[in-house]
Amino acid sequence: MNTIEIEDIKPVTCNKANHTLDLEIHTSHVLTYNEFFFKYLIGNKPCVIDSKITDDWASRSNFTLNDAPNFEFLRRVFGNAVVPVANCNKEYYNAQMKQSMTINEYIDYWIDYRNTNYSLDKPVLYLKDWHCVKNFPDVPLYEVPSFFASDWLNEYYIAHPTELNDDYMFIYMGPKGSWTPLHVDVLTSYSWSANIIGKKRWLLFPPGEENCLRDSHGHLPYDATSPEFNNRIKYKDYDTESLKKLEIIQDAGQIIFVPSGWHHQVWNLEDTISINHNWINGCNIWNVWLALQKGLLAVMKAVEDCQDMDDWVPHCQLLLKVSDGMDYSQFYDFLLFIARRRLNSLINKSEIISFKKWHLGTNHCLFDLGKIKTVLEHFIEDAKEKSVYSLFQFTDKPEDLLNDINAVL
């Protein structure tokens, strides 16, 4: 078992990021975990890790044949699996219209589309958000690199397979020309994306910069490269000279790290297959908490004309979970689960094993608890202020958890 450990615990805060728009491509065996942790996770800066990091992955050999997707392998192993597919030609509430297909049906489409030289007369379909690992746990695909092993989000979901029946580990695959509109990742999580085959173009905007892309009604665009930006009445804050953005071309085998809260848009420049994780840990949990508060305020504002209803507050929590992926109750359950595991590790010397390979060291557990403590103090205050606290039936009260964390720290 390998240990990932923070060598030095520095006095840092999660919400003070330096968004300088430089990009570094790192050799995986030279970049240390400690360097990645402080420079990129705490710094909230993007980076690319070279293709050597994925050389030994089973998917790098099984999913490819003669520098193209290995359709025969995909059919044989996954052919009848039902997967979500987005139509890149059809906009749907600032996203793309989705449908379900089997892998066999999607590969039939892909081969036909490729044989017509990617004809403009045909729809551009993109297989997205396929929970392949969850649905095919016995098929070897990849090993999560150490840099991404402190992953609270998947740690939490993997530990609750029956209650939650979900995860944030996905496979994407699509032909040349398929793309994903401008967005920020769920829960303002981090993400990492590894190209198994193919080439991608990424356009990234540091947090706050997306406001320069909003129209006169405050709405973000579907396409950050749209010619509509020439309409200076509709997009009065748009200025190509001052707009901060980062463009990255990602080659096969490389992994890109997308920081918390960075809006981005992605195009497949070639037929491409990628593996993607969304994740949260102590470095960005404050950003996640701020986003959840912002989400609740937006929900409350949207339905403020109904606040005289008896169940207005719980209704707002229901809407928050639909729009943001978590409500306050689940967010606390998430913090509680991570905190109890870290406390148990420190007090009872139990191991925390991430992705069946990585062991979280003592400094990591202490760091995580310190960040949970900060968020928990604000959570208690905010939940009481918004009359949310009284909705919860706690088996483990936040104040008791806070006392236990303080006792260890």
Side-chain angles (χ1 to χ4, degrees):
M1 197 66 63
N2 302 287
T3 298
I4 57 167
E5 186 60 287
I6 312 166
E7 295 170 13
D8 302 298
I9 297 183
K10 303 176 182 179
V12 292
T13 55
C14 296
N15 57 336
K16 300 292 184 182
N18 176 23
H19 303 303
T20 54
L21 295 189
D22 55 342
L23 179 74
E24 297 182 37
I25 299 180
H26 285 279
T27 305
S28 54
H29 67 275
V30 174
L31 180 65
T32 68
Y33 181 78
N34 210 57
E35 181 183 4
F36 181 79
F37 187 90
F38 286 105
K39 188 170 185 179
Y40 299 106
L41 294 185
I42 293 291
N44 208 45
K45 294 172 58 176
C47 75
V48 175
I49 304 175
D50 76 350
S51 61
K52 285 183 171 46
I53 197 168
T54 61
D55 277 351
D56 296 331
W57 288 7
S59 53
R60 285 292 307 279
S61 55
N62 293 335
F63 282 25
T64 63
L65 181 65
N66 300 324
D67 294 324
N70 188 341
F71 292 134
E72 182 182 342
F73 175 85
L74 294 171
R75 283 189 193 278
R76 185 172 69 252
V77 178
F78 308 113
N80 293 322
V82 178
V83 293
V85 175
N87 188 329
C88 299
N89 302 112
K90 291 186 178 181
E91 182 179 353
Y92 183 73
Y93 291 103
N94 240 34
Q96 292 167 336
M97 185 77 75
K98 284 194 174 182
Q99 63 187 89
S100 294
M101 301 175 73
T102 65
I103 287 289
N104 281 328
E105 290 170 336
Y106 184 71
I107 289 174
D108 288 342
Y109 152 78
W110 195 343
I111 292 173
D112 178 60
Y113 184 48
R114 191 173 62 176
N115 289 341
T116 61
N117 197 27
Y118 309 96
S119 169
L120 296 177
D121 295 329
K122 291 185 174 292
V124 182
L125 303 183
Y126 192 5
L127 190 163
K128 294 183 178 181
D129 301 324
W130 175 26
H131 294 267
C132 184
V133 173
K134 181 169 73 73
N135 297 329
F136 294 88
D138 297 326
V139 177
L141 296 172
Y142 60 98
E143 288 190 344
V144 175
S146 63
F147 309 116
F148 317 124
S150 176
D151 178 343
W152 296 6
L153 197 58
N154 286 301
E155 182 181 346
Y156 172 67
Y157 276 88
I158 289 170
H160 299 85
T162 304
E163 307 97 302
L164 299 177
N165 190 30
D166 203 357
D167 63 27
Y168 284 88
M169 302 180 285
F170 310 105
I171 284 183
Y172 283 47
M173 58 177 72
K176 180 176 72 173
S178 50
W179 66 293
T180 299
L182 181 71
H183 68 286
V184 68
D185 285 324
V186 59
L187 298 168
T188 47
S189 57
Y190 295 134
S191 66
W192 62 264
S193 178
N195 269 7
I196 302 306
I197 189 170
K199 182 178 291 189
K200 278 186 166 72
R201 174 194 173 204
W202 293 75
L203 197 59
L204 295 95
F205 302 90
E209 206 65 21
E210 75 279 1
N211 292 324
C212 300
L213 303 175
R214 295 186 186 277
D215 64 18
S216 55
H217 300 288
H219 301 142
L220 284 170
Y222 175 68
D223 180 359
T225 65
S226 170
E228 281 196 6
F229 286 110
N230 293 322
N231 182 344
R232 301 316 299 272
I233 296 175
K234 185 176 181 180
Y235 293 98
K236 58 184 178 181
D237 294 326
Y238 182 78
D239 183 357
T240 54
E241 298 298 321
S242 61
L243 183 66
K244 294 179 183 177
K245 60 184 178 181
L246 189 63
E247 185 166 349
I248 302 170
I249 302 299
Q250 180 191 18
D251 292 318
Q254 292 182 331
I255 298 181
I256 183 170
F257 165 64
V258 181
S260 179
W262 284 59
H263 282 70
H264 50 282
Q265 188 166 320
V266 191
W267 297 262
N268 289 327
L269 303 179
E270 302 171 351
D271 289 1
T272 303
I273 300 175
S274 65
I275 291 171
N276 308 265
H277 279 208
N278 289 103
W279 51 305
I280 293 166
N281 63 24
C283 300
N284 69 336
I285 188 62
W286 181 255
N287 293 343
V288 174
W289 165 235
L290 291 179
L292 198 66
Q293 289 181 80
K294 185 178 179 181
L296 180 56
L297 289 173
V299 165
M300 287 178 162
K301 182 174 176 59
V303 293
E304 62 183 350
D305 56 329
C306 303
Q307 58 185 309
D308 292 335
M309 294 168 47
D310 291 339
D311 61 347
W312 185 72
V313 174
H315 185 66
C316 287
Q317 288 298 302
L318 179 63
L319 293 176
L320 177 65
K321 189 163 187 175
V322 171
S323 63
D324 287 48
M326 276 192 186
D327 60 10
Y328 272 40
S329 177
Q330 188 178 3
F331 181 70
Y332 173 66
D333 186 67
F334 171 59
L335 292 180
L336 174 66
F337 171 79
I338 298 298
R340 286 298 175 205
R341 290 199 78 194
R342 303 304 183 265
L343 288 167
N344 191 40
S345 177
L346 293 170
I347 296 169
N348 300 318
K349 308 303 179 185
S350 64
E351 285 194 323
I352 298 175
I353 308 301
S354 174
F355 298 110
K356 301 179 181 179
K357 180 175 182 178
W358 303 106
H359 167 250
L360 269 66
T362 300
N363 283 354
H364 233 303
C365 291
L366 290 169
F367 178 88
D368 288 354
L369 287 172
K371 296 307 174 185
I372 291 173
K373 172 189 171 180
T374 301
V375 171
L376 200 54
E377 289 169 342
H378 287 81
F379 172 85
I380 293 169
E381 181 181 348
D382 187 76
K384 289 180 178 178
E385 180 184 312
K386 292 187 172 67
S387 302
V388 175
Y389 194 89
S390 59
L391 296 177
F392 306 145
Q393 300 296 321
F394 296 116
T395 54
D396 201 337
K397 288 187 176 181
E399 290 86 354
D400 294 336
L401 177 59
L402 195 55
N403 289 335
D404 291 344
I405 292 173
N406 282 329
V408 168
L409 292 179

